[in-house]
Amino acid sequence: MVFEFEATLGTDGFMGAILIPEDIADQLAVDKIKRVVATITSNNKELKLHAGVSKKHGTVYLMFSKANRKLLDVDQGDTVKVKMQEDTSKYQAPMTEELEAVLLSDFEAYEIFETLTPGKQRNIIFMVYNAKGEQKRVDIALNAMENLKIGNRDPYKFEKLI
């Protein structure tokens, strides 16, 4: 199911968030949808966002970082158009070619990666995804797999091994 709505940024104390309308939030809860792929549009610019559906004090929202606001050139009080649907991908995150290639070439690392919690898998995927440049993504993917193989299962505590 595809959900479409407009949201004003920075209302109700949620500056770094896109508030989801109550009727859509209710449907997400009924369908037990916790992760979405959203296309955010403003100022003739478009951004694809893989995000978790969060809830705080009864308000349901998507995190919307300062970096993403800068990419779309929007600020508090601006309105954005949102089109979102459930993220049905295997890891519920944007798998890069570089990380996929490393996982395919290193079976031991792949087996360890598959035993991680979905959140830790996504942390590693986003760590690679957010790197600038193909070689940097390869280096980070290789480093992450080496950390897994030496027993470090916490992406926030990965050491630079390469």
Side-chain angles (χ1 to χ4, degrees):
M1 179 178 287
V2 176
F3 303 98
E4 294 186 53
F5 60 94
E6 288 190 356
T8 302
L9 300 177
T11 58
D12 300 328
F14 284 86
M15 180 56 198
I18 295 174
L19 302 183
I20 298 173
E22 201 171 311
D23 59 331
I24 294 174
D26 291 343
Q27 187 62 48
L28 292 172
V30 167
D31 295 342
K32 297 181 181 174
I33 297 173
K34 295 184 180 183
R35 296 203 56 86
V36 296
V37 177
T39 303
I40 317 296
T41 309
S42 182
N43 302 323
N44 295 320
K45 295 179 183 176
E46 189 173 277
L47 173 72
K48 187 175 182 181
L49 178 69
H50 291 258
V53 176
S54 301
K55 185 175 184 178
K56 185 175 184 179
H57 304 299
T59 302
V60 180
Y61 60 95
L62 302 176
M63 292 302 298
F64 194 59
S65 69
K66 186 175 184 178
N68 285 336
R69 290 193 305 272
K70 187 175 180 179
L71 285 171
L72 284 182
D73 193 27
V74 293
D75 208 347
Q76 186 171 358
D78 291 344
T79 300
V80 295
K81 292 181 181 177
V82 181
K83 183 178 181 179
M84 67 181 192
Q85 63 188 37
E86 181 177 14
D87 189 340
T88 57
S89 63
K90 179 176 180 179
Y91 300 109
Q92 296 183 326
M95 177 61 81
T96 65
E97 289 180 24
E98 296 84 1
L99 180 55
E100 191 170 26
V102 169
L103 288 169
L104 287 171
S105 67
D106 188 339
F107 188 70
E108 179 186 358
Y110 171 77
E111 285 183 313
I112 297 167
F113 182 80
E114 288 297 313
T115 66
L116 298 175
T117 63
K120 287 184 179 179
Q121 290 173 339
R122 282 191 295 273
N123 285 341
I124 293 169
I125 291 169
F126 279 113
M127 191 184 304
V128 175
Y129 177 79
N130 289 325
K132 302 287 187 238
E134 185 177 327
Q135 187 58 50
K136 185 73 172 173
R137 286 190 294 273
V138 169
D139 291 345
I140 291 172
L142 288 169
N143 188 64
M145 295 308 110
E146 288 303 315
N147 269 277
L148 291 177
K149 290 193 304 191
I150 65 169
N152 187 354
R153 304 291 193 267
D154 186 352
Y156 291 111
K157 295 181 180 175
F158 278 179
E159 296 177 28
K160 181 124 173 117
L161 301 173
I162 297 175

